[in-house]
């Protein structure tokens, strides 16, 4: 994919679909230079007249597009939820995104997103660490005792997810 072409298409989509939006940016794998043949354009739109946030998938000028449409206050709730889960997807998208339409709102959101990313997730207390450790050993026991290859593959995937979450969260990431 070509970033310049993606950026141009995303900008045209904003002009066509959201001409009165306050801010918009292009984010995701295309911006990071990690796109694949099936990557989409992740576009965040800030529209303050919007009553509630929504997502929309569409095709625009041959590109698959994922729209994340928010108002400037509702997006902060999504920031909070993402960070509480330890998966700050939306803050990362805002922090690394390329402005399609910029203003002070977007500048402020980028500052908040970068601050949240720098802070990392809330630390787990000892009870949570013990509970997560139990889930890990339970899944490992299931994997070790499994005799069905298909079931084993699912357990291995689940175990990998639990392990990655445990390592990242216990290391403040």
């Amino acid at each position: 994919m070509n970033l310049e072409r993606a950026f141009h298409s995303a900008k045209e989509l904003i002009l066509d679909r959201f001409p009165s939006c306050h801010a918009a940016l292009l984010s995701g794998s295309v911006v990071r230079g990690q796109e694949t043949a099936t990557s989409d354009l992740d576009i965040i739109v800030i529209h303050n007249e919007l009553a509630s946030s929504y997502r929309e998938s569409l095709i625009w000028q041959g590109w698959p597009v994922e729209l994340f449409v928010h108002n400037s206050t509702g997006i902060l709730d999504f920031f909070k939820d993402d960070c509480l889960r330890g998966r700050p997807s939306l803050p990362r998208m805002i922090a690394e995104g390329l402005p399609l339409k910029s203003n002070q709102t977007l500048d402020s959101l980028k500052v908040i997103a970068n601050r949240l990313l720098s802070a990392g997730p809330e630390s787990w207390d000892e009870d949570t660490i013990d509970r997560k450790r139990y889930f890990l050993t339970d899944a490992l026991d299931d994997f070790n005792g499994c005799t069905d290859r298909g079931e084993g593959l699912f357990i291995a995937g689940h175990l990998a997810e639990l392990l990655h979450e445990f390592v990242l969260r216990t290391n403040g990431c």
Side-chain angles (χ1 to χ4, degrees), residues 41-145:
L41 301 182
D42 295 307
I43 301 173
I44 297 102
V45 178
I46 310 300
H47 203 305
N48 287 341
E49 283 76 41
L50 191 66
S52 62
S53 298
Y54 69 92
R55 286 178 70 169
E56 181 180 352
S57 298
L58 58 110
I59 302 294
W60 176 263
Q61 297 180 352
W63 296 94
V65 174
E66 188 73 26
L67 292 171
F68 303 84
V69 186
H70 301 274
N71 62 38
S72 59
T73 55
I75 196 169
L76 298 177
D77 293 332
F78 282 84
F79 276 18
K80 181 181 176 186
D81 290 345
D82 283 2
C83 290
L84 285 174
R85 289 184 308 120
R87 297 178 184 188
S89 302
L90 191 55
R92 184 161 312 283
M93 290 171 72
I94 294 287
E96 70 188 16
L98 298 176
L100 299 165
K101 184 174 183 180
S102 188
N103 69 3
Q104 197 170 21
T105 299
L106 184 56
D107 295 340
S108 297
L109 287 172
K110 279 188 167 282
V111 168
I112 293 167
N114 281 307
R115 189 178 66 232
L116 290 169
L117 293 171
S118 293
E122 289 185 18
S123 296
W124 281 349
D125 61 26
E126 288 302 316
D127 288 340
T128 301
I129 291 171
D130 287 344
R131 188 173 62 254
K132 296 293 187 168
R133 189 178 289 124
Y134 167 80
F135 292 143
L136 267 169
T137 58
D138 186 53
L140 185 58
D141 286 343
D142 288 347
F143 182 73
N144 285 332

